[in-house]
């Protein structure tokens, strides 16, 4: 595995995260996959209708003006009516001791319901999506210092850490939302080249379901945002997974079939061309050989007639005979 670092390069992980999970359907899939093995996440999402996830806009929040959080959504409470909650999704690829303070600022500055004149802040559920290589408990120091409680809770917002290393690979590979599930797997193995290499064929099989355009676009995004972390060899492994996917995974895509037909056509054309060329060449060779033979034969006849004292006029008339 590669070591974590906190330089600007890690922001590219953020770019990939926002590209995939800014879509509410993809965010819902990620949260649904994660809550299956994460009790804290499952608890804070209990009572939230994830089907109603929608990005926060300037009409409801200051997220666009400030641009602080990775992603901010609102969703209806399962209690009915117009009760909404705010959901912050913050990505981290390294441990950060300032994360709680950061989330506190976000909750205050971003989760603002401008349409509500009585209670202008959405009840906030802050979720950190983590794909670093170290174990991390963001609340450890907070608990150790015995910070004051807020209404019986540690923080003035609900919190859960999602460590992508805990996602179940098979569950992700079977999810119908290919883009969201494969995106999670790619981020899970972003620092684990061996793990990604072992997953390449299975990931390639799933991405085939996006079609040629969707697959190529997704690969380009992986290369753009995660290329320097994953490495050229691993990206090439993903590319190669598509080229041989029909043989390795038991099916042939339309593109595979077309390319196979083209190769077969070229081979058949070359074979036919060679056979025709040999046939024509043999015919021409025989004709040329016969001509040379006849010329040699005439020369021998002429030489014989001359040796017998036949006059040149008679020899010339004899040569004109077919």
């Amino acid at each position: 595995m590669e070591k974590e670092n906190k330089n600007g390069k890690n922001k590219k992980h953020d770019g990939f995260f926002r590209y995939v999970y800014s879509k509410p359907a993809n965010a819902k899939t990620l949260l649904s996959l994660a809550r299956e093995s994460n009790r804290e996440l499952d608890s804070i999402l209990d009572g939230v209708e994830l089907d109603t996830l929608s990005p926060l806009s300037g009409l409801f929040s200051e997220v666009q003006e400030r641009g602080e959080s990775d992603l901010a959504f609102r969703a209806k409470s399962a209690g009915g009516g117009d009760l909404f909650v705010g959901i912050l999704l913050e990505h981290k690829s390294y441990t950060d001791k300032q994360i709680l303070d950061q989330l506190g600022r976000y909750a205050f500055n971003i989760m603002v319901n401008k349409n509500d004149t009585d209670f202008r802040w959405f009840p906030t559920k802050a979720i950190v999506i983590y794909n670093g290589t170290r174990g991390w408990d963001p609340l450890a120091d907070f608990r150790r210092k015995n910070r004051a409680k807020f209404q019986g809770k540690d923080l003035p917002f609900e919190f859960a850490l999602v460590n992508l290393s805990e996602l179940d690979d098979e569950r992700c590979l079977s999810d119908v939302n290919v883009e969201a599930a494969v995106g999670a797997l790619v981020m899970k193995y972003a620092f684990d080249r061996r793990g990604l290499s072992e997953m390449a064929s299975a990931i390639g099989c799933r991405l085939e379901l996006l079609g040629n355009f969707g697959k190529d676009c997704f690969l380009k995004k992986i290369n753009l945002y995660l290329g320097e972390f994953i490495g050229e060899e691993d990206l090439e492994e993903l590319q190669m997974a598509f080229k041989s996917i029909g043989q390795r995974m038991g099916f042939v895509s339309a593109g595979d079939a077309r390319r196979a037909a083209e190769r077969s056509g070229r081979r058949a054309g070359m074979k036919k061309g060679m056979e025709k060329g040999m046939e024509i060449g043999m015919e021409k060779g025989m004709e040329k050989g016969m001509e040379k033979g006849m010329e040699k034969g005439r020369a021998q006849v002429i030489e014989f007639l001359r040796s017998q004292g036949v006059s040149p006029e008679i020899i010339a008339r004899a040569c004109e005979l077919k």
Side-chain angles (χ1 to χ4, degrees), residues 6 45 110 128 174 226-227 243 274:
K6 298 184 181 181
L45 291 180
I110 294 174
V128 173
S174 65
L226 303 179
K243 293 181 181 180
M274 291 177 65

Side-chain angles (χ1 to χ4, degrees), residues 212-229:
N212 288 335
F213 177 79
K215 174 191 67 179
D216 292 342
C217 181
F218 202 79
L219 275 176
K220 287 178 181 178
K221 295 299 181 181
I222 293 175
N223 188 19
L224 173 64
Y225 294 119
L226 303 179
E228 62 189 287
F229 300 94

Side-chain angles (χ1 to χ4, degrees), residues 4-16:
E4 293 180 358
N5 61 75
K6 298 184 181 181
N7 59 25
K9 291 182 179 180
N10 276 325
K11 292 182 179 178
K12 289 197 171 186
H13 283 227
D14 295 343
F16 183 76

Side-chain angles (χ1 to χ4, degrees), residues 59-96:
L59 294 176
F60 293 94
S61 174
E62 299 178 10
V63 64
Q64 289 186 338
E65 293 95 322
R66 294 177 177 272
E68 291 181 302
S69 176
D70 281 341
L71 294 171
F73 300 91
R74 69 184 184 120
K76 281 189 175 182
S77 169
D82 294 325
L83 178 60
F84 288 90
V85 296
I87 296 179
L88 282 170
L89 291 184
E90 180 69 16
H91 166 259
K92 291 292 181 183
S93 57
Y94 56 88
T95 61
D96 184 357

Side-chain angles (χ1 to χ4, degrees), residues 274-308:
M274 291 177 65
E275 292 175 349
K276 187 66 176 178
M278 291 178 64
E279 181 181 343
I280 294 174
M282 290 178 64
E283 290 179 357
K284 289 184 176 181
M286 291 176 64
E287 290 177 1
K288 193 170 184 179
M290 290 176 66
E291 289 176 1
K292 288 185 176 181
M294 291 176 68
E295 289 177 1
K296 186 175 181 179
R298 282 197 297 269
Q300 290 176 346
V301 171
I302 292 171
E303 185 65 26
F304 175 76
L305 293 175
R306 284 177 179 172
S307 66
Q308 299 298 315

